[in-house]
Amino acid sequence: MELPPNILPDEANPKWMNKGDNAWQLTAATLVGLQSIPGLVIIYGGMVKKKWAINSALMAFYAFAVVLICWVGWGFRMSFGERLVDFWGKPAVALDQKYLLGQAFLGYFPTATMVLFQFVFAAITPILIGGALLGRMNFVAWMIFVPLWHTFSYTIGAFSIWCPNGWLAKLGVIDFAGGFVIHLSSGVAGFTAAYWVGPRIDKDRERFPPNNVLMMLAGAGLLWMGWTGFNGGAQYAASTVASLAALNTHVCAATSLLTWLLLDTVVFGKPSVIGAVQGMITGLVCITPGAGVVQCWAAILMGLISGSLPWYTMMILHSKFNILKQVDDTFAVFHSHAIAGSLGGILTGFFAMPKLCRLFFQVPDWEKYIGLAYGLQTGRTSAGLKQMGIQLIGIVFIVCLNIVTTSLICLFIKLIVPLRLNEEELRIGDDAVHGEEAYALWIDGDRFENAKSNSIYDVDEYPSIMSKNASELQMV
């Protein structure tokens, strides 16, 4: 029997390529990309004080672009290429068509698809770091920081944990989609960088209201829905594991959001929309290291824990520890990403189901992957304890890596440019740093800042227009 023409292999569709897997992987990459552009751009732009909306959004926009050039230039192969040392790959370009059109190191799709998919993960990580630095970091320093951190921190974590040749991958660490590589890394690096950059001005630390809550929620929605590709694409196949991972992701996020809202309501008397967003994020982060290897009921339990423990560290413990109070972590990425990412890694070590690990890893020695809960159930307690130990080793490695590399990078940048904006720029914000404002009215290329002094309209000739515009600008 002949195959239908649409599935016959040809030069552009080699025998090893699965069109369905390739299509899903490209879709997943797009969904994850949308989490950053425009997702986090919108969240940052709406969640900060009005005077920092442009600066905050542009930090995310810039990071996305510069990481792509670094990624195809050297980052991808340092993360997934030939081994240089046990924790790092050899730098090399990913630009030649012969290399890009060949089969990826995992999955049944081209290397070009893998480069794109892994890029959006690499790009979102420094953008998350930026969440700890908003409202005061020198933009030129940020422009230097992103490619340096990507090169000397992200690639090490990715190679160690995700590359088959990495030392933690060989040890047996479970990080399904980036709880360690992305979220723990960004949380620790963001907190460390915030220490070196210094705090916002006192006025901004005391009062930093979001300038557009609805826009912030729109960005949060993109972030949440985009996580379907984030965790659903980690299997590198349009498989049953991908479906389970996507479902677990949303179940955990919803449970965490509801838990956070409940705690806000019980303790503070009012449900908070910012609290809802934080609860959503901690749930998404927590499930990420185990999304495809835990059962759905475990995802609910992980959501309950991720909606309560990070809430407690952020809302209660934060004010009791001097180091947490002194370091100005603008959007609390330490709690929402470092704490939640570590929590997810530990809970994955407890709830990881052997059968699901077999379906995900598809390696001969799959039996070494077993959560402590199943180890206790099946009489393999030592194997379960070993898995928990490996998860803790992974956490310690990522924490130490990011404290050291982020500190060295910040100290190096200080030799070139200040890490923090000057006092005048901190007082004014976007207009001083970029010469632009998020909510300015423009007419024929001229900013209409003050109705009384504006020369576009004659006051005597257009009194009603001037009066109307003046009142509107007062509202802005």
Side-chain angles (χ1 to χ4, degrees), residues 149-166:
W149 187 87
H150 170 78
T151 302
F152 295 105
S153 185
Y154 182 84
T155 58
I156 294 175
F159 185 90
S160 298
I161 291 176
W162 278 345
C163 181
N165 295 322

Side-chain angles (χ1 to χ4, degrees), residues 187-235:
V188 174
F191 189 81
T192 304
Y195 170 82
W196 291 109
V197 172
R200 291 165 288 173
I201 56 175
D202 290 342
K203 186 178 179 181
D204 283 354
R205 290 201 74 177
E206 292 166 4
R207 180 168 170 74
F208 205 67
N211 69 85
N212 195 322
V213 175
L214 294 181
M215 186 169 75
M216 176 193 74
L217 280 176
L222 283 168
L223 193 67
W224 188 349
M225 291 301 101
W227 229 286
T228 298
F230 200 105
N231 289 349
Q235 170 67 7

Side-chain angles (χ1 to χ4, degrees), residues 67-92:
V67 168
L68 177 54
I69 303 306
C70 297
W71 193 241
V72 296
W74 60 87
F76 175 76
R77 296 180 80 164
M78 289 178 73
S79 302
F80 297 99
E82 187 179 347
R83 173 184 171 276
L84 177 65
V85 290
D86 285 341
F87 56 85
W88 220 2
K90 292 181 180 179

Side-chain angles (χ1 to χ4, degrees), residues 23-102:
W24 165 238
Q25 216 62 36
L26 290 170
T27 303
T30 303
L31 288 170
V32 180
L34 288 171
Q35 291 183 294
S36 296
I37 308 293
L40 285 168
V41 170
I42 295 175
I43 291 178
Y44 287 179
M47 202 168 174
V48 294
K49 205 170 187 176
K50 184 178 71 173
K51 71 175 185 177
W52 291 115
I54 293 289
N55 180 261
S56 302
L58 187 57
M59 284 177 69
F61 213 63
Y62 163 78
F64 193 84
V66 75
V67 168
L68 177 54
I69 303 306
C70 297
W71 193 241
V72 296
W74 60 87
F76 175 76
R77 296 180 80 164
M78 289 178 73
S79 302
F80 297 99
E82 187 179 347
R83 173 184 171 276
L84 177 65
V85 290
D86 285 341
F87 56 85
W88 220 2
K90 292 181 180 179
V93 299
L95 296 169
D96 184 75
Q97 60 87 22
K98 184 177 180 181
Y99 175 75
L100 293 173
L101 297 186

Side-chain angles (χ1 to χ4, degrees), residues 76-320:
F76 175 76
R77 296 180 80 164
M78 289 178 73
S79 302
F80 297 99
E82 187 179 347
R83 173 184 171 276
L84 177 65
V85 290
D86 285 341
F87 56 85
W88 220 2
K90 292 181 180 179
V93 299
L95 296 169
D96 184 75
Q97 60 87 22
K98 184 177 180 181
Y99 175 75
L100 293 173
L101 297 186
Q103 186 175 0
F105 67 93
L106 288 173
Y108 296 101
F109 46 79
T111 297
T113 300
M114 180 65 82
V115 172
L116 177 63
F117 180 74
Q118 287 297 340
F119 150 66
V120 290
F121 284 81
I124 200 172
T125 311
I127 296 175
L128 295 174
I129 293 173
L133 307 171
L134 301 179
R136 83 281 199 177
M137 187 171 187
N138 181 354
F139 195 83
V140 175
W142 175 248
M143 293 175 72
I144 302 171
F145 175 87
V146 174
L148 288 179
W149 187 87
H150 170 78
T151 302
F152 295 105
S153 185
Y154 182 84
T155 58
I156 294 175
F159 185 90
S160 298
I161 291 176
W162 278 345
C163 181
N165 295 322
W167 74 278
L168 280 169
K170 291 179 179 178
L171 195 62
V173 71
I174 303 175
D175 186 10
F176 186 84
F180 292 171
V181 177
I182 295 170
H183 300 293
L184 179 56
S185 292
S186 61
V188 174
F191 189 81
T192 304
Y195 170 82
W196 291 109
V197 172
R200 291 165 288 173
I201 56 175
D202 290 342
K203 186 178 179 181
D204 283 354
R205 290 201 74 177
E206 292 166 4
R207 180 168 170 74
F208 205 67
N211 69 85
N212 195 322
V213 175
L214 294 181
M215 186 169 75
M216 176 193 74
L217 280 176
L222 283 168
L223 193 67
W224 188 349
M225 291 301 101
W227 229 286
T228 298
F230 200 105
N231 289 349
Q235 170 67 7
Y236 301 137
S239 67
T240 55
V241 175
S243 299
L244 178 65
L247 177 61
N248 282 345
T249 296
H250 297 297
V251 168
C252 185
T255 305
S256 182
L257 184 156
L258 296 173
T259 302
W260 197 293
L261 274 181
L262 179 63
L263 288 169
D264 273 352
T265 304
V266 170
V267 177
F268 301 116
K270 293 180 180 180
S272 163
V273 65
I274 294 179
V277 172
Q278 291 286 15
M280 174 202 80
I281 292 173
T282 56
L284 293 167
V285 170
C286 183
I287 193 62
T288 293
V293 297
V294 302
Q295 298 212 57
C296 201
W297 58 261
I300 293 176
L301 295 178
M302 292 173 75
L304 289 170
I305 298 170
S306 65
S308 53
L309 188 58
W311 178 91
Y312 182 73
T313 65
M314 186 186 299
M315 308 305 294
I316 307 298
L317 288 185
H318 186 92
S319 61
K320 297 182 179 180

